[in-house]
């Protein structure tokens, strides 16, 4: 009986389980770590809404590509009135093998081309597909259309922007951020919702939610 008592909980089972989960940093909101889904949570002083994700963060993009793109554009524009910029996009990746890619923040600088489903062209862009499957430089050039950062605070202050961009030059399904890196090329940290092979198969994309806005 003594031995099994170490594995059983009694009247205080809720408290005991909570303590266990807290020790593993899976429950306490103030102890958000790489395993916690940020959907509806506050992180780095900002609220976040999940856009889509893979693996333990599984949330597929909208089946209707046009509807998904329209919703994402509206989410991006939600910060313009209060922040004077589009909302930040945050990718959290627990399976990435390079520390700089476990958290990447995308900060948009220019307007988006009109929507057309699929791969980006010189006049159209499918924003969801751009991030999930086909990271290209059409209307998406580093230091011109966007900046990348390794933390939310860097993005908010505009410091330590990533310097090396990489993109697909063909129809392959390599998504964000291809082999981009803080100072040089970093391979295989990309996600692909159509292919396997990259290390970012346990990851999620979140978008910043303006203060006072309810996450739905």
């Amino acid at each position: 009986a003594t031995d099994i008592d170490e594995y059983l909980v009694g009247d205080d089972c809720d408290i005991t389980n909570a303590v266990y989960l807290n020790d593993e940093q899976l429950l306490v909101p103030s102890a958000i770590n790489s395993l916690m889904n940020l959907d509806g949570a506050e992180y780095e002083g900002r609220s976040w809404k999940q856009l889509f994700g893979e693996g333990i963060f599984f949330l597929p993009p909208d089946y209707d590509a046009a509807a998904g793109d329209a919703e994402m554009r509206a989410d991006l524009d939600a910060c313009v009135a209060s922040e004077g910029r589009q909302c930040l996009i945050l990718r959290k990746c627990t399976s990435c093998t390079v520390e700089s890619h476990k958290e990447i923040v995308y900060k948009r600088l220019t307007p988006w081309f009109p929507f057309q489903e699929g791969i980006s062209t010189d006049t159209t862009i499918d924003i969801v597909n751009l991030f999930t499957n086909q990271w290209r430089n059409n209307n998406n050039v580093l230091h011109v259309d966007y900046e990348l950062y390794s933390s939310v605070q860097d993005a908010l202050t505009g410091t330590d922007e990533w310097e090396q961009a990489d993109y697909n030059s063909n129809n392959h399904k390599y998504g964000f951020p291809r082999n981009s890196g803080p100072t040089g090329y970093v391979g295989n940290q990309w996600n692909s919702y159509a292919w396997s092979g990259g290390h970012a198969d346990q990851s999620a994309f979140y978008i910043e939610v303006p203060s006072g806005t309810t996450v739905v």
Side-chain angles (χ1 to χ4, degrees):
T2 301
D3 291 338
I4 201 169
D5 283 345
E6 297 179 9
Y7 302 96
L8 295 178
V9 294
D11 295 337
D12 294 329
C13 61
D14 290 339
I15 297 174
T16 304
N17 288 337
V19 169
Y20 169 76
L21 290 172
N22 289 343
D23 288 343
E24 297 300 316
Q25 295 185 323
L26 298 176
L27 186 65
V28 180
S30 61
I32 291 173
N33 71 354
S34 60
L35 295 179
M36 185 169 183
N37 191 314
L38 300 183
D39 190 41
E42 184 173 307
Y43 178 66
E44 296 293 330
R46 303 279 158 162
S47 295
W48 302 90
K49 167 188 172 182
Q50 185 175 358
L51 294 169
F52 27 79
E54 294 185 283
I56 60 175
F57 305 103
F58 180 72
L59 180 65
D62 196 313
Y63 180 76
D64 184 331
D69 182 87
E71 180 179 356
M72 191 163 176
R73 288 172 190 261
D75 288 338
L76 283 160
D77 287 341
C79 291
V80 172
S82 60
E83 305 292 340
R85 58 166 172 75
Q86 292 194 8
C87 294
L88 302 176
I89 296 173
L90 167 66
R91 190 191 78 172
K92 297 279 285 183
C93 179
T94 63
S95 54
C96 287
T97 56
V98 179
E99 191 65 31
S100 61
H101 287 59
K102 292 183 180 297
E103 177 172 312
I104 309 175
V105 182
Y106 179 99
K107 185 177 183 179
R108 186 70 185 181
L109 304 177
T110 63
W112 298 92
F113 283 165
F115 168 75
Q116 177 176 288
E117 185 174 358
I119 198 166
S120 302
T121 72
D122 290 337
T123 57
T124 65
I125 196 164
D126 179 339
I127 303 175
V128 176
N129 184 64
L130 174 73
F131 282 90
T132 56
N133 289 314
Q134 293 179 304
W135 186 248
R136 292 174 65 90
N137 65 356
N138 309 74
N139 189 214
N140 192 50
V141 176
L142 185 68
H143 304 323
V144 176
D145 298 304
Y146 71 95
E147 300 286 2
L148 292 180
Y149 301 89
S150 294
S151 74
V152 173
Q153 290 306 311
D154 282 350
L156 292 173
T157 58
T159 55
D160 295 328
E161 298 92 345
W162 284 24
E163 294 301 328
Q164 183 63 64
D166 189 39
Y167 309 95
N168 293 340
S169 58
N170 48 41
N171 293 331
H172 289 167
K173 300 295 179 68
Y174 301 117
F176 177 86
R178 194 57 169 101
N179 295 323
S180 303
T183 58
Y185 292 109
V186 178
N188 297 320
Q189 307 302 304
W190 43 266
N191 50 253
S192 176
Y193 287 48
W195 286 2
S196 60
H199 290 303
D201 54 0
Q202 304 287 331
S203 63
F205 285 91
Y206 304 93
I207 192 158
E208 177 189 8
V209 177
S211 178
T213 303
T214 301
V215 178
V216 294

